[in-house]
């Protein structure tokens, strides 16, 4: 019961619903954190799909979680860049991946809701 409430987080106050709603941003951070824990956005997204199918998560909330997973998956690249022999070049590529996914999230989630 608490899982359904947590994953469908929604604030009723008008100030908190402005700018797309604070709840979506919190769910995006939650999706990022869960993806960092499992180090795979595919695992996290594959877990969301049946939960949306049975109606436990609303599709709008799953979108925020998926965008968070998209950002969270870039942490794996950063970790692997730090363990490589040429950290400067590895971090350049890893940070390009971070900025590319973050820019995609900004375009698809914030600008074009």
């Amino acid at each position: 019961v608490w899982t359904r409430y947590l994953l469908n987080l929604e604030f009723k106050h008008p100030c908190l619903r402005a700018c797309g709603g604070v709840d979506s941003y919190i769910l995006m951070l939650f999706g990022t954190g869960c993806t960092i824990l499992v180090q795979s956005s595919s695992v996290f997204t594959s877990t969301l799909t049946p939960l949306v199918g049975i109606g436990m998560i609303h599709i709008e909330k799953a979108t925020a979680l998926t965008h968070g997973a998209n950002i969270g998956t870039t942490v794996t690249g950063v970790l692997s860049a730090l363990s490589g022999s040429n950290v400067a070049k590895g971090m350049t590529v890893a940070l390009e991946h971070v900025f590319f996914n973050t820019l995609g999230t900004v375009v698809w989630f914030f600008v074009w809701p």
Side-chain angles (χ1 to χ4, degrees):
V1 174
W2 64 270
T3 310
R4 180 179 291 196
Y5 175 74
L6 176 70
L7 293 176
N8 290 311
L9 184 65
E10 195 168 316
F11 295 115
K12 303 294 183 200
H13 196 275
C15 292
L16 296 176
R17 296 189 58 82
C19 299
V22 175
D23 50 353
S24 296
Y25 302 119
I26 292 172
L27 288 173
M28 189 180 304
L29 290 174
F30 181 74
T32 302
C34 288
T35 304
I36 289 171
L37 288 176
V38 296
Q39 293 187 356
S40 173
S41 62
S42 300
V43 170
F44 184 71
T45 306
S46 298
T47 304
L48 284 178
T49 304
L51 294 175
V52 172
I54 63 172
M56 189 169 188
I57 302 174
H58 297 295
I59 191 73
E60 296 85 12
K61 304 304 178 185
T63 304
L65 290 165
T66 304
H67 283 297
N70 190 24
I71 295 172
T73 195
T74 61
V75 172
T76 306
V78 172
L79 291 175
S80 64
L82 290 173
S83 68
S85 60
N86 192 345
V87 176
K89 287 184 181 178
M91 282 303 290
T92 300
V93 174
L95 290 177
E96 286 176 4
H97 187 214
V98 170
F99 292 136
F100 181 80
N101 283 7
T102 304
L103 180 66
T105 299
V106 166
V107 169
W108 290 104
F109 189 73
F110 300 121
V111 176
W112 190 5

